[in-house]
Amino acid sequence: MSNSLEGKIAVVTGASRGIGRAIALTLASRGAAVIINYNGSKDRAEEVKQEIEATGGKASIYQCNVSEYEKCETFIQDIIKEYGRIDILVNNAGITRDGLLMKMSEADFDQVVDTNLKGAFNTIRFASRQMLKQRSGRVINMSSVVGVTGNAGQANYAASKAGVIGLTKAAARELASRGITVNAIAPGFIETDMTEVLPEKVKESSVAQIPLGKFGKPEQVAAVVAFLASEDAEYITGQVLHVDGGMVM
Ligand code: NAP
């Protein structure tokens, strides 16, 4: 058994900032070559690449809007052409467009579902074909506690994150016989740009719901991704791991 990722090829979507950035750095520190996907933040993605290379790791950056099906096909095929395989796929890219149901626009619903849920489908759709050939692979999808509990003002986001759990379990069942595991992580409140914008009052009331009494850090989510991607987790599939300071139990 081992938690080393030496020689593995890992794709991390939405790795230019926040949790995805921490995942890219952590997987690289365990020896994986990391493909840092971003949508708009090219400079931030470049910084992550440089940070990995400065510590002797391997990384490349790749722009792709994960909500676009055909672009995802090219994205995944280009990686396979360059690296020959994909061992780890982390579907982390995600957005929020919060608002009460009565006021939520169709565009806000569609954009969130297209990025958070369809984006994960798009990459799994193409990467799993390669993983099936390899007879091995690890897929880790980013859900959220909100996908389990729901949240007022986040109908679009909660639906997308609940969908990610369904997608994870269906894919886990379909791919298990070929040595591919598929799991989801459900973070609670983690300190990133996404939660930075919350009003102070919301932050205070959120902390009050967390038994461990504080927001989590991106590195704490990244450590769980690295575990699920490692040999140590070879008998775990179809699971949703909460990294939430005890918020949901
Ligand atoms: P963040 O700081 O806002 O970063 C989001 C990342 O997703 C960025 O790298 C962004 O890239 C990328 N992204 C957004 N849309 C994309 C698209 N269409 N195609 C490709 N990449 C795209 O968010 P975060 O807090 O790190 O969240 C990461 C994941 O964890 C999300 O799925 C989020 O829902 C989930 N999560 C977060 C929390 C939390 O408390 N922070 C809690 C539960 C779940 P660019 O900047 O390059 O566009």
Side-chain angles (χ1 to χ4, degrees):
M1 302 292 269
S2 162
N3 68 3
S4 164
L5 300 175
E6 205 59 55
K8 303 285 182 198
I9 307 300
V11 180
V12 185
T13 70
S16 48
R17 298 184 282 118
I19 295 172
R21 172 183 176 276
I23 293 169
L25 293 171
T26 303
L27 298 185
S29 75
R30 305 272 176 99
V34 181
I35 293 93
I36 301 158
N37 159 255
Y38 69 98
N39 186 27
S41 307
K42 184 170 190 218
D43 293 349
R44 300 288 302 271
E46 189 61 51
E47 278 168 30
V48 180
K49 177 176 183 271
Q50 282 169 11
E51 216 172 311
I52 289 173
E53 287 173 348
T55 51
K58 290 191 209 93
S60 56
I61 64 171
Y62 202 113
Q63 195 282 334
C64 175
N65 180 343
V66 295
S67 69
E68 295 181 35
Y69 183 78
E70 274 141 31
K71 295 222 168 112
C72 283
E73 181 170 22
T74 311
F75 168 44
I76 297 297
Q77 280 177 350
D78 284 355
I79 293 165
I80 295 165
K81 263 186 228 148
E82 188 176 344
Y83 292 89
R85 56 189 294 119
I86 295 178
D87 299 297
I88 301 160
L89 168 65
V90 186
N91 283 306
N92 165 80
I95 57 168
T96 52
R97 295 282 183 276
D98 297 351
L100 294 173
L101 260 177
M102 300 292 284
K103 291 187 176 167
M104 187 172 286
S105 69
E106 187 186 4
D108 282 349
F109 188 87
D110 286 349
Q111 255 189 310
V112 168
V113 172
D114 284 354
T115 305
N116 300 2
L117 175 56
K118 194 178 155 216
F121 162 74
N122 288 345
T123 57
I124 293 173
R125 169 76 176 72
F126 298 110
S128 62
R129 201 155 56 188
Q130 175 63 28
M131 289 177 174
L132 286 168
K133 281 191 209 153
Q134 292 168 195
R135 295 193 163 263
S136 70
R138 294 294 160 90
V139 180
I140 297 135
N141 298 322
M142 210 50 75
S143 181
S144 165
V145 287
V146 164
V148 178
T149 63
N151 193 24
Q154 289 197 306
N156 49 1
Y157 185 77
S160 73
K161 294 300 187 181
V164 164
I165 293 174
L167 172 66
T168 298
K169 293 181 180 179
R173 287 185 187 277
E174 274 189 40
L175 302 173
S177 65
R178 304 282 188 95
I180 302 164
T181 68
V182 187
N183 291 288
I185 295 180
F189 286 94
I190 309 297
E191 287 171 3
T192 68
D193 295 346
M194 191 177 270
T195 48
E196 177 60 35
V197 294
L198 294 173
E200 215 42 56
K201 271 202 162 161
V202 174
K203 284 190 193 163
E204 277 165 27
S205 66
S206 308
V207 170
Q209 300 168 44
I210 305 171
L212 287 177
K214 58 189 174 197
F215 277 24
K217 304 220 176 291
E219 294 70 23
Q220 291 162 338
V221 179
V224 179
V225 173
F227 164 65
L228 288 173
S230 76
E231 203 186 311
D232 285 345
E234 66 187 352
Y235 201 55
I236 301 175
T237 197
Q239 301 304 306
V240 183
L241 261 76
H242 287 250
V243 184
D244 64 1
M247 256 181 100
V248 177
M249 61 170 94

